[in-house]
Short mmCIF file of all heavy atoms in Angstrom, two decimals:
data_model
loop_
_atom_site.label_atom_id
_atom_site.label_comp_id
_atom_site.label_asym_id
_atom_site.label_seq_id
_atom_site.Cartn_x
_atom_site.Cartn_y
_atom_site.Cartn_z
N ALA A 926 -57.52 26.87 4.42
CA ALA A 926 -58.97 26.81 4.18
C ALA A 926 -59.25 26.28 2.78
O ALA A 926 -60.21 25.51 2.59
CB ALA A 926 -59.60 28.20 4.37
N ALA A 927 -58.45 26.67 1.80
CA ALA A 927 -58.63 26.16 0.44
C ALA A 927 -58.39 24.65 0.40
O ALA A 927 -59.11 23.91 -0.28
CB ALA A 927 -57.71 26.87 -0.54
N MET A 928 -57.39 24.19 1.14
CA MET A 928 -57.10 22.76 1.20
C MET A 928 -58.26 22.02 1.88
O MET A 928 -58.70 20.97 1.40
CB MET A 928 -55.79 22.49 1.95
CG MET A 928 -55.45 21.02 2.07
SD MET A 928 -55.15 20.20 0.49
CE MET A 928 -53.48 20.74 0.17
N ASP A 929 -58.77 22.58 2.97
CA ASP A 929 -59.88 21.93 3.67
C ASP A 929 -61.12 21.84 2.78
O ASP A 929 -61.80 20.82 2.76
CB ASP A 929 -60.22 22.68 4.97
CG ASP A 929 -59.15 22.49 6.04
OD1 ASP A 929 -58.31 21.57 5.92
OD2 ASP A 929 -59.15 23.28 7.01
N THR A 930 -61.40 22.92 2.04
CA THR A 930 -62.53 22.90 1.12
C THR A 930 -62.32 21.84 0.04
O THR A 930 -63.24 21.08 -0.28
CB THR A 930 -62.72 24.29 0.46
OG1 THR A 930 -63.02 25.23 1.50
CG2 THR A 930 -63.83 24.27 -0.56
N ALA A 931 -61.11 21.78 -0.50
CA ALA A 931 -60.82 20.79 -1.54
C ALA A 931 -61.01 19.38 -0.99
O ALA A 931 -61.63 18.54 -1.65
CB ALA A 931 -59.40 20.98 -2.07
N VAL A 932 -60.48 19.10 0.20
CA VAL A 932 -60.62 17.76 0.78
C VAL A 932 -62.10 17.42 0.96
O VAL A 932 -62.53 16.31 0.65
CB VAL A 932 -59.84 17.65 2.11
CG1 VAL A 932 -60.19 16.35 2.84
CG2 VAL A 932 -58.34 17.72 1.84
N LYS A 933 -62.89 18.39 1.40
CA LYS A 933 -64.33 18.16 1.60
C LYS A 933 -65.01 17.83 0.27
O LYS A 933 -65.77 16.86 0.17
CB LYS A 933 -64.96 19.39 2.24
CG LYS A 933 -66.43 19.26 2.51
CD LYS A 933 -66.97 20.53 3.16
CE LYS A 933 -68.47 20.43 3.35
NZ LYS A 933 -69.04 21.66 3.87
N VAL A 934 -64.73 18.63 -0.76
CA VAL A 934 -65.35 18.42 -2.07
C VAL A 934 -64.88 17.09 -2.68
O VAL A 934 -65.68 16.33 -3.23
CB VAL A 934 -65.04 19.59 -3.02
CG1 VAL A 934 -65.46 19.29 -4.45
CG2 VAL A 934 -65.72 20.86 -2.52
N LEU A 935 -63.59 16.81 -2.56
CA LEU A 935 -63.04 15.59 -3.16
C LEU A 935 -63.52 14.35 -2.42
O LEU A 935 -63.74 13.31 -3.04
CB LEU A 935 -61.51 15.67 -3.20
CG LEU A 935 -60.97 16.85 -4.04
CD1 LEU A 935 -59.47 16.94 -3.91
CD2 LEU A 935 -61.40 16.74 -5.48
N THR A 936 -63.67 14.45 -1.11
CA THR A 936 -64.20 13.33 -0.34
C THR A 936 -65.63 13.03 -0.77
O THR A 936 -66.00 11.87 -0.95
CB THR A 936 -64.15 13.64 1.17
OG1 THR A 936 -62.79 13.86 1.54
CG2 THR A 936 -64.70 12.49 1.99
N ALA A 937 -66.42 14.08 -0.97
CA ALA A 937 -67.78 13.89 -1.46
C ALA A 937 -67.74 13.27 -2.86
O ALA A 937 -68.56 12.41 -3.18
CB ALA A 937 -68.53 15.22 -1.48
N GLY A 938 -66.79 13.67 -3.67
CA GLY A 938 -66.66 13.14 -5.02
C GLY A 938 -66.38 11.66 -5.05
O GLY A 938 -66.80 10.95 -5.97
N ILE A 939 -65.67 11.18 -4.06
CA ILE A 939 -65.35 9.75 -4.00
C ILE A 939 -66.60 8.90 -3.84
O ILE A 939 -66.64 7.76 -4.28
CB ILE A 939 -64.33 9.47 -2.86
CG1 ILE A 939 -62.96 10.02 -3.26
CG2 ILE A 939 -64.23 7.99 -2.54
CD1 ILE A 939 -61.92 9.96 -2.18
N THR A 940 -67.64 9.47 -3.27
CA THR A 940 -68.89 8.72 -3.08
C THR A 940 -69.91 8.99 -4.19
O THR A 940 -71.06 8.58 -4.08
CB THR A 940 -69.51 9.05 -1.71
OG1 THR A 940 -69.82 10.45 -1.67
CG2 THR A 940 -68.56 8.70 -0.58
N SER A 941 -69.49 9.66 -5.23
CA SER A 941 -70.37 9.98 -6.36
C SER A 941 -70.87 8.72 -7.05
O SER A 941 -70.21 7.67 -7.02
CB SER A 941 -69.61 10.85 -7.37
OG SER A 941 -70.36 11.02 -8.54
N LYS A 942 -71.98 8.85 -7.73
CA LYS A 942 -72.48 7.75 -8.57
C LYS A 942 -71.74 7.71 -9.90
O LYS A 942 -71.80 6.72 -10.61
CB LYS A 942 -73.98 7.91 -8.81
CG LYS A 942 -74.80 7.73 -7.55
CD LYS A 942 -76.27 7.90 -7.81
CE LYS A 942 -77.02 7.72 -6.50
NZ LYS A 942 -78.45 7.95 -6.66
N ASP A 943 -71.05 8.78 -10.22
CA ASP A 943 -70.33 8.91 -11.48
C ASP A 943 -68.88 8.43 -11.29
O ASP A 943 -68.11 9.03 -10.52
CB ASP A 943 -70.35 10.37 -11.92
CG ASP A 943 -69.69 10.62 -13.26
OD1 ASP A 943 -68.78 9.85 -13.65
OD2 ASP A 943 -70.05 11.61 -13.92
N ASP A 944 -68.52 7.35 -11.95
CA ASP A 944 -67.18 6.78 -11.78
C ASP A 944 -66.08 7.74 -12.21
O ASP A 944 -64.99 7.75 -11.62
CB ASP A 944 -67.04 5.46 -12.55
CG ASP A 944 -67.79 4.31 -11.87
OD1 ASP A 944 -68.09 4.42 -10.66
OD2 ASP A 944 -68.06 3.31 -12.55
N ALA A 945 -66.31 8.59 -13.20
CA ALA A 945 -65.30 9.56 -13.62
C ALA A 945 -65.05 10.57 -12.51
O ALA A 945 -63.91 10.97 -12.27
CB ALA A 945 -65.73 10.27 -14.90
N VAL A 946 -66.10 10.96 -11.80
CA VAL A 946 -65.95 11.89 -10.68
C VAL A 946 -65.18 11.21 -9.55
O VAL A 946 -64.30 11.82 -8.93
CB VAL A 946 -67.33 12.39 -10.19
CG1 VAL A 946 -67.21 13.18 -8.89
CG2 VAL A 946 -68.00 13.24 -11.27
N LYS A 947 -65.48 9.93 -9.31
CA LYS A 947 -64.77 9.19 -8.27
C LYS A 947 -63.27 9.15 -8.56
O LYS A 947 -62.44 9.44 -7.70
CB LYS A 947 -65.28 7.75 -8.17
CG LYS A 947 -66.65 7.61 -7.59
CD LYS A 947 -67.04 6.13 -7.59
CE LYS A 947 -68.47 5.94 -7.20
NZ LYS A 947 -68.85 4.52 -7.18
N ARG A 948 -62.92 8.77 -9.80
CA ARG A 948 -61.51 8.67 -10.17
C ARG A 948 -60.82 10.02 -10.09
O ARG A 948 -59.70 10.12 -9.58
CB ARG A 948 -61.37 8.05 -11.55
CG ARG A 948 -61.69 6.57 -11.60
CD ARG A 948 -61.31 5.93 -12.93
NE ARG A 948 -62.05 6.49 -14.04
CZ ARG A 948 -63.21 6.02 -14.49
NH1 ARG A 948 -63.77 4.97 -13.90
NH2 ARG A 948 -63.82 6.57 -15.52
N ALA A 949 -61.47 11.05 -10.59
CA ALA A 949 -60.88 12.39 -10.55
C ALA A 949 -60.68 12.84 -9.11
O ALA A 949 -59.67 13.48 -8.79
CB ALA A 949 -61.77 13.38 -11.30
N SER A 950 -61.60 12.50 -8.24
CA SER A 950 -61.49 12.89 -6.83
C SER A 950 -60.30 12.22 -6.16
O SER A 950 -59.55 12.85 -5.42
CB SER A 950 -62.79 12.56 -6.09
OG SER A 950 -63.86 13.31 -6.60
N VAL A 951 -60.13 10.93 -6.42
CA VAL A 951 -58.99 10.21 -5.84
C VAL A 951 -57.68 10.79 -6.36
O VAL A 951 -56.76 11.08 -5.59
CB VAL A 951 -59.07 8.69 -6.15
CG1 VAL A 951 -57.77 7.99 -5.76
CG2 VAL A 951 -60.24 8.07 -5.40
N ARG A 952 -57.59 11.00 -7.67
CA ARG A 952 -56.37 11.55 -8.26
C ARG A 952 -56.06 12.93 -7.69
O ARG A 952 -54.90 13.25 -7.39
CB ARG A 952 -56.49 11.64 -9.77
CG ARG A 952 -56.40 10.30 -10.45
CD ARG A 952 -56.35 10.45 -11.97
NE ARG A 952 -56.65 9.19 -12.59
CZ ARG A 952 -57.68 8.95 -13.39
NH1 ARG A 952 -58.51 9.91 -13.69
NH2 ARG A 952 -57.87 7.76 -13.90
N ALA A 953 -57.09 13.75 -7.54
CA ALA A 953 -56.89 15.11 -7.02
C ALA A 953 -56.40 15.06 -5.57
O ALA A 953 -55.50 15.81 -5.19
CB ALA A 953 -58.17 15.92 -7.13
N LEU A 954 -56.99 14.18 -4.77
CA LEU A 954 -56.53 14.05 -3.39
C LEU A 954 -55.07 13.62 -3.33
O LEU A 954 -54.29 14.14 -2.54
CB LEU A 954 -57.38 13.03 -2.63
CG LEU A 954 -58.65 13.54 -2.00
CD1 LEU A 954 -59.50 12.39 -1.49
CD2 LEU A 954 -58.36 14.52 -0.88
N LEU A 955 -54.70 12.69 -4.18
CA LEU A 955 -53.32 12.22 -4.20
C LEU A 955 -52.37 13.35 -4.59
O LEU A 955 -51.30 13.50 -4.04
CB LEU A 955 -53.15 11.06 -5.18
CG LEU A 955 -53.96 9.82 -4.88
CD1 LEU A 955 -53.71 8.76 -5.93
CD2 LEU A 955 -53.63 9.29 -3.51
N ASP A 956 -52.78 14.15 -5.55
CA ASP A 956 -51.94 15.24 -6.03
C ASP A 956 -51.78 16.33 -4.97
O ASP A 956 -50.69 16.87 -4.81
CB ASP A 956 -52.52 15.85 -7.30
CG ASP A 956 -51.65 16.98 -7.81
OD1 ASP A 956 -50.53 16.69 -8.28
OD2 ASP A 956 -52.08 18.15 -7.71
N LEU A 957 -52.84 16.63 -4.23
CA LEU A 957 -52.77 17.70 -3.24
C LEU A 957 -51.95 17.33 -2.01
O LEU A 957 -51.44 18.20 -1.32
CB LEU A 957 -54.18 18.12 -2.82
CG LEU A 957 -55.00 18.83 -3.89
CD1 LEU A 957 -56.40 19.14 -3.35
CD2 LEU A 957 -54.32 20.11 -4.36
N LYS A 958 -51.87 16.04 -1.72
CA LYS A 958 -51.11 15.56 -0.57
C LYS A 958 -51.47 16.33 0.71
O LYS A 958 -50.62 16.95 1.34
CB LYS A 958 -49.60 15.67 -0.84
CG LYS A 958 -49.14 14.83 -2.00
CD LYS A 958 -47.65 15.01 -2.23
CE LYS A 958 -47.18 14.11 -3.32
NZ LYS A 958 -47.23 14.61 -4.64
N PRO A 959 -52.74 16.26 1.13
CA PRO A 959 -53.14 17.00 2.32
C PRO A 959 -52.66 16.36 3.62
O PRO A 959 -52.89 16.90 4.69
CB PRO A 959 -54.67 17.00 2.24
CG PRO A 959 -54.99 15.76 1.48
CD PRO A 959 -53.87 15.58 0.50
N GLY A 960 -52.02 15.23 3.53
CA GLY A 960 -51.51 14.54 4.73
C GLY A 960 -52.41 13.37 5.08
O GLY A 960 -53.60 13.38 4.81
N PRO A 961 -51.82 12.34 5.68
CA PRO A 961 -52.56 11.11 5.99
C PRO A 961 -53.80 11.34 6.83
O PRO A 961 -54.82 10.70 6.61
CB PRO A 961 -51.54 10.24 6.73
CG PRO A 961 -50.22 10.76 6.34
CD PRO A 961 -50.40 12.22 6.05
N ALA A 962 -53.75 12.24 7.80
CA ALA A 962 -54.90 12.45 8.68
C ALA A 962 -56.12 12.90 7.90
O ALA A 962 -57.25 12.56 8.24
CB ALA A 962 -54.56 13.47 9.76
N LYS A 963 -55.91 13.66 6.83
CA LYS A 963 -57.03 14.15 6.04
C LYS A 963 -57.38 13.21 4.89
O LYS A 963 -58.54 13.06 4.54
CB LYS A 963 -56.71 15.53 5.47
CG LYS A 963 -56.70 16.61 6.51
CD LYS A 963 -56.45 17.96 5.89
CE LYS A 963 -56.41 19.02 6.98
NZ LYS A 963 -56.21 20.35 6.43
N VAL A 964 -56.38 12.58 4.30
CA VAL A 964 -56.63 11.82 3.09
C VAL A 964 -57.08 10.38 3.36
O VAL A 964 -57.88 9.83 2.62
CB VAL A 964 -55.42 11.87 2.14
CG1 VAL A 964 -54.31 10.93 2.57
CG2 VAL A 964 -55.82 11.56 0.72
#
């Protein structure tokens, strides 16, 4: 559930207007390695 919440928040972050949030979201997703189906 924590992973699913993170993927949801980070996915939303990728569409942010703030480029720093976008980059942080991509990096966080890569670090968490939730699997190809989710990422």
Side-chain angles (χ1 to χ4, degrees):
M928 179 64 79
D929 289 344
T930 298
V932 169
K933 181 179 176 184
V934 170
L935 299 174
T936 300
I939 288 173
T940 61
S941 172
K942 293 179 180 177
D943 183 332
D944 286 341
V946 171
K947 289 179 188 180
R948 288 190 297 270
S950 296
V951 170
R952 286 187 197 118
L954 274 171
L955 298 179
D956 180 69
L957 291 178
K958 298 179 176 89
K963 289 183 181 182
V964 78

